[in-house]
Amino acid sequence: MLNLTQIYQHVFSDLSVPAPKDAIIQRIKTLAGTVGADRFRALAAQALIKQLDPAGIIPSVYSAYRSIIHDGLTFFLSRISFDRIVDMIADQMLLTDTGSREQRLVDLAQKCPTLHKLGQIIARNQHIHPNVRKWFVHLESGDYGTSIEKILPHVVNAVQSDKELFSIQFGRQVLSEASVGAVCPFWWKDPESGAMEQGVFKVLKPGMRSLLAEELNIIDALAAFFQDRTDQYPLDDFRYIEVFRDIGRALAEEINLIGEQAHLWDAYHFYQDSQGIEIPKLAPFSTHNVTAMSRLIGVKITDAPMEPPERKLCATRLFKAIILKPLFSPSDTAIFHGDPHAGNILAHKTQQDQPATISLIDWSLAGHLEKSLRIRLLQLFLQVVMGKADDIGAALMGLCIPALPNRDLIPRLINGAIAGLIATKEYAESNLLKKVFCLIDRAARSGMVFRTDLLLFRKTWFTLEGVLYELDPDFDFDAVMTASLQTLFLREIPKRLRPLLFPAVDRPERYASMLTNKDIQRLLLHHALSGLKTGSVKILAIRHFLSALGAPLDPPSPCGLAV
């Protein structure tokens, strides 16, 4: 079998080292001609895997997964186009002996959008082995070698018709790169104010759409390959097809610049009244090939120089902005960030004695929650506090897509997945939000079908959870949510007076909290207020108002979330 050593010997037999990349590629293609392009591609993929030895650099704690990593990468690379596999081999040769196996693997991932995205997902997992996380953290964002000379002509061409009107001046550097896009600076003049403003262009890297189209077809086939062989790998209940589709969806969203621009527009207006939260503002010359927006200055939030009290405050503000604001929005539809990893959240200070300003960037992946869906989600929150498996199952049913046959699954869910999860120590010790999203996750695994945006909101929560704990290891989700609900409830008291006399008119959509008077009464009766400190003006106001509903003022023992 042709191996990488033989390829090296053939290529460098009479070439000086280091050799130009073009010369290396030509030698590789000449060698490939002796065995045929398709045969060479398969052999080259095996040779690359042998040299990279991805299974060999996996820590022993993950030894059970070495076979799936080896087989998956071999399957993937053997189906990459001939020209791409030749280019990959040439790049590996140019690393010579200076590149470690970890460096070589990361270099390979950077050239494949799907592998790059998978590496980013791995890097965001707070629970994986630190050595593995360290390898892939370089894939979050940074400089991957794309030159401004490759990017700038596409940018200039895309905004050519607006160049003179807005006095656009182009920067000469790539500020950062991700799996499919790159960001470069520019300056422009607002025709109305006459002021010069600083912005950034987000543009797809050259050839990215065609590369992605090829790879998405490969990962679909790879998902089916693994799904048909579940008994051969140590991931019996792993949803290969769903996970690989999620990666594909995330990448498809990243190349849909028009979609991201719509998300940016919605998010900018949604957060306009949020103190300390910034969203990039679209410039008036964005196109389907380039997104032009304001440049927000800051550093990755988890790297920002802040003392512990400020990090705690920052975590609270972030949780409220990304989870609670869309969840309790009075709007009929609320947008939320679909990928709030630390690299998409910047922090900077405008004044030393003021809290850091938080900037939420990269809105390629975003979702929308309709109020009707959020009302049903709050009913699930309510039932989780109550703790009865059958009521939790009914609340989950209310969140399902109604046209699909989910109802027959409820008995099995109640007796199996849901009851089993509720009985675990991990569930009992989790905060309310984590309980809710773990239930949705378990129900989805068991066959219930939920709306895509709800599942994305679940993933938003799990992504953000790691960021918040990195900012504040003692972050108390329930306490922050309790305080927010108290504030909402106090504001809602005037609206709640009429339904006291006419209960039939009481509807959850009347309130930002989306909890009716009856819901509040049920919470109190189930001791949801027992954790609150008595004596404060806020708490006394809530307690006296609730007493008008005929509920006891002094629950006997703590249980559930305080409201």
Side-chain angles (χ1 to χ4, degrees):
M1 184 185 78
L2 187 69
N3 58 46
L4 213 56
T5 301
Q6 292 172 318
I7 298 175
Y8 270 66
Q9 290 173 348
H10 177 86
V11 169
F12 293 114
S13 59
D14 58 355
L15 282 178
S16 59
V17 179
K21 183 175 179 179
D22 288 346
I24 294 174
I25 288 176
Q26 187 55 49
R27 286 297 184 92
I28 296 172
K29 287 184 175 181
T30 300
L31 176 61
T34 65
V35 296
D38 289 341
R39 175 66 175 158
F40 177 83
R41 184 174 59 177
L43 293 173
Q46 295 176 42
L48 272 176
I49 294 298
K50 185 174 181 179
Q51 182 194 46
L52 294 171
D53 189 22
I57 61 176
I58 299 298
S60 57
V61 67
Y62 300 132
S63 60
Y65 306 112
R66 287 170 178 165
S67 60
I68 194 171
I69 294 170
H70 177 277
D71 295 353
L73 278 175
T74 301
F75 184 100
F76 183 89
L77 291 175
S78 65
R79 285 159 177 77
I80 290 290
S81 68
F82 173 74
D83 285 340
R84 287 186 69 191
I85 198 76
V86 168
D87 190 73
M88 290 175 186
I89 292 175
D91 284 334
Q92 291 292 320
M93 289 181 172
L94 288 171
L95 287 174
T96 62
D97 295 330
T98 62
S100 65
R101 288 185 296 176
E102 293 86 354
Q103 180 185 350
R104 290 178 180 277
L105 191 59
V106 169
D107 181 80
L108 182 70
Q110 290 170 354
K111 293 175 172 57
C112 302
T114 50
L115 296 183
H116 194 150
K117 177 59 67 176
L118 182 59
Q120 289 178 332
I121 293 170
I122 293 172
R124 294 166 198 164
N125 188 331
Q126 302 291 319
H127 305 292
I128 64 170
H129 194 283
N131 286 345
V132 176
R133 191 163 184 256
K134 182 178 66 176
W135 303 336
F136 291 109
V137 76
H138 301 292
L139 296 173
E140 281 287 10
S141 61
D143 180 6
Y144 306 136
T146 302
S147 67
I148 189 65
E149 285 73 22
K150 292 182 178 179
I151 297 293
L152 196 55
H154 298 277
V155 175
V156 173
N157 183 63
V159 299
Q160 188 64 46
S161 60
D162 294 310
K163 181 180 175 183
E164 298 302 325
L165 174 63
F166 295 101
S167 303
I168 301 173
Q169 300 174 23
F170 303 95
R172 302 294 305 180
Q173 64 181 123
V174 174
L175 295 176
S176 66
E177 298 180 58
S179 52
V180 301
V183 173
C184 54
F186 72 92
W187 292 262
W188 67 290
K189 180 183 290 186
D190 187 328
E192 295 183 3
S193 66
M196 289 296 294
E197 298 188 12
Q198 190 174 11
V200 292
F201 288 116
K202 180 177 179 180
V203 59
L204 298 182
K205 290 186 278 192
M208 193 52 63
R209 284 194 170 95
S210 61
L211 294 185
L212 192 55
E214 177 184 70
E215 292 186 19
L216 290 181
N217 286 331
I218 295 174
I219 66 168
D220 282 346
L222 179 58
F225 172 83
F226 281 137
Q227 198 72 47
D228 292 341
R229 296 164 176 80
T230 53
D231 59 330
Q232 299 179 22
Y233 302 104
L235 297 172
D236 295 336
D237 61 346
F238 190 76
R239 296 162 294 164
Y240 295 98
I241 292 177
E242 179 182 337
V243 170
F244 281 62
R245 281 177 179 169
D246 285 345
I247 294 172
R249 180 194 173 198
L251 287 165
E253 295 283 358
E254 287 193 32
I255 65 172
N256 178 14
L257 296 186
I258 294 297
E260 181 179 12
Q261 290 161 25
H263 295 159
L264 277 169
W265 176 267
D266 289 347
Y268 181 80
H269 291 89
F270 185 68
Y271 284 99
Q272 269 190 317
D273 63 345
S274 298
Q275 184 179 8
I277 303 294
E278 289 184 336
I279 309 295
K281 183 179 181 180
L282 280 173
F285 39 86
S286 295
T287 72
H288 71 283
N289 286 321
V290 169
T291 297
M293 57 189 140
S294 58
R295 182 177 181 181
L296 302 183
I297 305 300
V299 298
K300 182 177 174 181
I301 191 165
T302 50
D303 294 339
M306 295 184 286
E307 295 299 319
E310 189 173 3
R311 293 175 75 86
K312 186 180 291 290
L313 176 62
C314 206
T316 298
R317 181 174 285 180
L318 192 58
F319 175 57
K320 288 181 177 180
I322 294 182
I323 299 296
L324 298 187
K325 182 174 176 63
L327 183 61
F328 295 111
S329 170
S331 304
D332 291 336
T333 302
I335 190 170
F336 64 91
H337 200 298
D339 193 19
H341 64 84
N344 283 340
I345 308 169
L346 307 180
H348 76 279
K349 283 197 169 191
T350 53
Q351 298 181 30
Q352 194 60 35
D353 60 342
Q354 295 296 318
T357 296
I358 298 172
S359 301
L360 305 180
I361 62 173
D362 192 353
W363 285 81
S364 55
L365 189 60
H368 295 81
L369 296 176
E370 298 175 354
K371 179 173 280 191
S372 59
L373 180 64
R374 287 181 277 132
I375 289 173
R376 296 195 297 275
L377 183 58
L378 260 293
Q379 285 302 305
L380 177 57
F381 277 65
L382 186 65
Q383 298 309 328
V384 169
V385 172
M386 305 300 183
K388 293 183 179 179
D390 53 350
D391 291 337
I392 290 173
L396 283 166
M397 178 64 197
L399 285 168
C400 286
I401 297 177
L404 295 172
N406 297 288
R407 191 169 299 279
D408 294 340
L409 292 167
I410 290 182
R412 178 162 62 87
L413 280 170
I414 293 172
N415 297 325
I418 292 178
L421 177 61
I422 291 174
T424 64
K425 180 181 179 182
E426 181 182 3
Y427 178 88
E429 295 176 350
S430 295
N431 60 69
L432 178 64
L433 278 164
K434 189 166 187 175
K435 288 179 179 178
V436 166
F437 290 121
C438 282
L439 282 163
I440 292 174
D441 186 68
R442 184 65 63 91
R445 287 171 180 264
S446 300
M448 297 188 82
V449 183
F450 299 97
R451 296 189 183 280
T452 302
D453 282 340
L454 178 60
L455 296 178
L456 181 60
F457 193 55
R458 171 202 61 174
K459 292 181 180 178
T460 289
W461 152 254
F462 283 117
T463 300
L464 183 66
E465 183 187 30
V467 178
L468 295 177
Y469 278 136
E470 194 168 348
L471 284 170
D472 176 14
D474 299 318
F475 188 77
D476 190 335
F477 292 89
D478 285 350
V480 176
M481 191 169 179
T482 294
S484 297
L485 279 170
Q486 288 174 8
T487 301
L488 287 176
F489 187 87
L490 287 171
R491 292 174 182 169
E492 293 167 354
I493 285 179
K495 289 185 177 181
R496 292 182 180 276
L497 295 176
R498 184 167 177 263
L500 284 177
L501 301 175
F502 305 99
V505 304
D506 205 14
R507 295 286 186 273
E509 54 268 23
R510 292 173 58 91
Y511 314 112
S513 67
M514 292 173 287
L515 295 172
T516 64
N517 287 338
K518 184 177 180 180
D519 291 332
I520 298 294
Q521 183 180 15
R522 291 172 65 198
L523 280 172
L524 184 58
L525 290 170
H526 284 267
H527 317 299
L529 291 181
S530 59
L532 297 175
K533 294 181 180 179
T534 59
S536 74
V537 174
K538 283 187 178 182
I539 302 311
L540 287 175
I542 295 173
R543 286 165 59 82
H544 285 306
F545 177 78
L546 289 172
S547 69
L549 304 177
L553 282 174
D554 295 304
S557 62
C559 176
L561 174 75
V563 176

PDB file of all heavy atoms in Angstrom, residues 194-207:
ATOM      1  N   GLY A 194     -22.353  62.913   8.607  1.00  0.00           N
ATOM      2  CA  GLY A 194     -21.040  63.300   8.125  1.00  0.00           C
ATOM      3  C   GLY A 194     -19.908  62.747   8.962  1.00  0.00           C
ATOM      4  O   GLY A 194     -18.737  63.031   8.692  1.00  0.00           O
ATOM      5  N   ALA A 195     -20.226  61.942   9.968  1.00  0.00           N
ATOM      6  CA  ALA A 195     -19.199  61.393  10.861  1.00  0.00           C
ATOM      7  C   ALA A 195     -18.594  60.134  10.276  1.00  0.00           C
ATOM      8  O   ALA A 195     -19.280  59.325   9.642  1.00  0.00           O
ATOM      9  CB  ALA A 195     -19.813  61.089  12.232  1.00  0.00           C
ATOM     10  N   MET A 196     -17.284  59.956  10.492  1.00  0.00           N
ATOM     11  CA  MET A 196     -16.612  58.729  10.099  1.00  0.00           C
ATOM     12  C   MET A 196     -16.849  57.675  11.177  1.00  0.00           C
ATOM     13  O   MET A 196     -16.710  57.953  12.371  1.00  0.00           O
ATOM     14  CB  MET A 196     -15.114  58.953   9.919  1.00  0.00           C
ATOM     15  CG  MET A 196     -14.755  59.782   8.701  1.00  0.00           C
ATOM     16  SD  MET A 196     -15.209  58.988   7.134  1.00  0.00           S
ATOM     17  CE  MET A 196     -14.115  57.560   7.127  1.00  0.00           C
ATOM     18  N   GLU A 197     -17.206  56.494  10.757  1.00  0.00           N
ATOM     19  CA  GLU A 197     -17.487  55.408  11.695  1.00  0.00           C
ATOM     20  C   GLU A 197     -16.639  54.197  11.349  1.00  0.00           C
ATOM     21  O   GLU A 197     -16.271  53.979  10.194  1.00  0.00           O
ATOM     22  CB  GLU A 197     -18.974  55.034  11.660  1.00  0.00           C
ATOM     23  CG  GLU A 197     -19.888  56.188  12.081  1.00  0.00           C
ATOM     24  CD  GLU A 197     -21.343  55.752  12.221  1.00  0.00           C
ATOM     25  OE1 GLU A 197     -21.585  54.527  12.218  1.00  0.00           O
ATOM     26  OE2 GLU A 197     -22.216  56.629  12.318  1.00  0.00           O
ATOM     27  N   GLN A 198     -16.352  53.406  12.384  1.00  0.00           N
ATOM     28  CA  GLN A 198     -15.547  52.204  12.204  1.00  0.00           C
ATOM     29  C   GLN A 198     -16.473  50.986  12.146  1.00  0.00           C
ATOM     30  O   GLN A 198     -17.435  50.885  12.900  1.00  0.00           O
ATOM     31  CB  GLN A 198     -14.559  52.050  13.368  1.00  0.00           C
ATOM     32  CG  GLN A 198     -13.523  50.975  13.163  1.00  0.00           C
ATOM     33  CD  GLN A 198     -12.471  50.964  14.271  1.00  0.00           C
ATOM     34  OE1 GLN A 198     -12.635  51.628  15.284  1.00  0.00           O
ATOM     35  NE2 GLN A 198     -11.403  50.221  14.073  1.00  0.00           N
ATOM     36  N   GLY A 199     -16.159  50.079  11.227  1.00  0.00           N
ATOM     37  CA  GLY A 199     -16.979  48.879  11.092  1.00  0.00           C
ATOM     38  C   GLY A 199     -16.140  47.680  10.704  1.00  0.00           C
ATOM     39  O   GLY A 199     -14.917  47.758  10.568  1.00  0.00           O
ATOM     40  N   VAL A 200     -16.823  46.554  10.544  1.00  0.00           N
ATOM     41  CA  VAL A 200     -16.165  45.339  10.079  1.00  0.00           C
ATOM     42  C   VAL A 200     -17.019  44.695   8.999  1.00  0.00           C
ATOM     43  O   VAL A 200     -18.254  44.773   9.018  1.00  0.00           O
ATOM     44  CB  VAL A 200     -15.922  44.320  11.221  1.00  0.00           C
ATOM     45  CG1 VAL A 200     -14.893  44.846  12.197  1.00  0.00           C
ATOM     46  CG2 VAL A 200     -17.209  43.943  11.932  1.00  0.00           C
ATOM     47  N   PHE A 201     -16.335  44.083   8.047  1.00  0.00           N
ATOM     48  CA  PHE A 201     -16.986  43.248   7.049  1.00  0.00           C
ATOM     49  C   PHE A 201     -16.842  41.792   7.471  1.00  0.00           C
ATOM     50  O   PHE A 201     -15.757  41.351   7.830  1.00  0.00           O
ATOM     51  CB  PHE A 201     -16.326  43.413   5.676  1.00  0.00           C
ATOM     52  CG  PHE A 201     -16.585  44.719   4.999  1.00  0.00           C
ATOM     53  CD1 PHE A 201     -15.536  45.599   4.746  1.00  0.00           C
ATOM     54  CD2 PHE A 201     -17.856  45.069   4.595  1.00  0.00           C
ATOM     55  CE1 PHE A 201     -15.750  46.795   4.102  1.00  0.00           C
ATOM     56  CE2 PHE A 201     -18.088  46.279   3.946  1.00  0.00           C
ATOM     57  CZ  PHE A 201     -17.043  47.138   3.700  1.00  0.00           C
ATOM     58  N   LYS A 202     -17.939  41.060   7.425  1.00  0.00           N
ATOM     59  CA  LYS A 202     -17.868  39.614   7.570  1.00  0.00           C
ATOM     60  C   LYS A 202     -18.093  39.019   6.190  1.00  0.00           C
ATOM     61  O   LYS A 202     -19.104  39.283   5.542  1.00  0.00           O
ATOM     62  CB  LYS A 202     -18.930  39.089   8.537  1.00  0.00           C
ATOM     63  CG  LYS A 202     -18.888  37.573   8.703  1.00  0.00           C
ATOM     64  CD  LYS A 202     -19.908  37.079   9.718  1.00  0.00           C
ATOM     65  CE  LYS A 202     -19.868  35.567   9.846  1.00  0.00           C
ATOM     66  NZ  LYS A 202     -20.859  35.065  10.843  1.00  0.00           N
ATOM     67  N   VAL A 203     -17.136  38.231   5.738  1.00  0.00           N
ATOM     68  CA  VAL A 203     -17.195  37.680   4.388  1.00  0.00           C
ATOM     69  C   VAL A 203     -16.843  36.195   4.447  1.00  0.00           C
ATOM     70  O   VAL A 203     -16.054  35.763   5.294  1.00  0.00           O
ATOM     71  CB  VAL A 203     -16.215  38.438   3.451  1.00  0.00           C
ATOM     72  CG1 VAL A 203     -14.793  38.351   3.946  1.00  0.00           C
ATOM     73  CG2 VAL A 203     -16.324  37.933   2.021  1.00  0.00           C
ATOM     74  N   LEU A 204     -17.459  35.428   3.579  1.00  0.00           N
ATOM     75  CA  LEU A 204     -17.122  34.008   3.514  1.00  0.00           C
ATOM     76  C   LEU A 204     -15.742  33.847   2.899  1.00  0.00           C
ATOM     77  O   LEU A 204     -15.366  34.559   1.961  1.00  0.00           O
ATOM     78  CB  LEU A 204     -18.149  33.255   2.669  1.00  0.00           C
ATOM     79  CG  LEU A 204     -19.592  33.262   3.177  1.00  0.00           C
ATOM     80  CD1 LEU A 204     -20.468  32.438   2.244  1.00  0.00           C
ATOM     81  CD2 LEU A 204     -19.675  32.730   4.584  1.00  0.00           C
ATOM     82  N   LYS A 205     -14.981  32.912   3.427  1.00  0.00           N
ATOM     83  CA  LYS A 205     -13.662  32.644   2.863  1.00  0.00           C
ATOM     84  C   LYS A 205     -13.820  32.049   1.463  1.00  0.00           C
ATOM     85  O   LYS A 205     -14.826  31.379   1.180  1.00  0.00           O
ATOM     86  CB  LYS A 205     -12.875  31.713   3.785  1.00  0.00           C
ATOM     87  CG  LYS A 205     -12.453  32.393   5.085  1.00  0.00           C
ATOM     88  CD  LYS A 205     -11.562  31.532   5.947  1.00  0.00           C
ATOM     89  CE  LYS A 205     -12.342  30.554   6.769  1.00  0.00           C
ATOM     90  NZ  LYS A 205     -11.513  29.894   7.816  1.00  0.00           N
ATOM     91  N   PRO A 206     -12.863  32.296   0.568  1.00  0.00           N
ATOM     92  CA  PRO A 206     -12.990  31.860  -0.835  1.00  0.00           C
ATOM     93  C   PRO A 206     -13.292  30.374  -0.959  1.00  0.00           C
ATOM     94  O   PRO A 206     -12.676  29.536  -0.298  1.00  0.00           O
ATOM     95  CB  PRO A 206     -11.612  32.204  -1.427  1.00  0.00           C
ATOM     96  CG  PRO A 206     -11.096  33.317  -0.573  1.00  0.00           C
ATOM     97  CD  PRO A 206     -11.613  33.036   0.814  1.00  0.00           C
ATOM     98  N   GLY A 207     -14.260  30.061  -1.823  1.00  0.00           N
ATOM     99  CA  GLY A 207     -14.605  28.675  -2.120  1.00  0.00           C
ATOM    100  C   GLY A 207     -15.373  27.958  -1.028  1.00  0.00           C
ATOM    101  O   GLY A 207     -15.612  26.744  -1.118  1.00  0.00           O
TER     102      GLY A 207
END
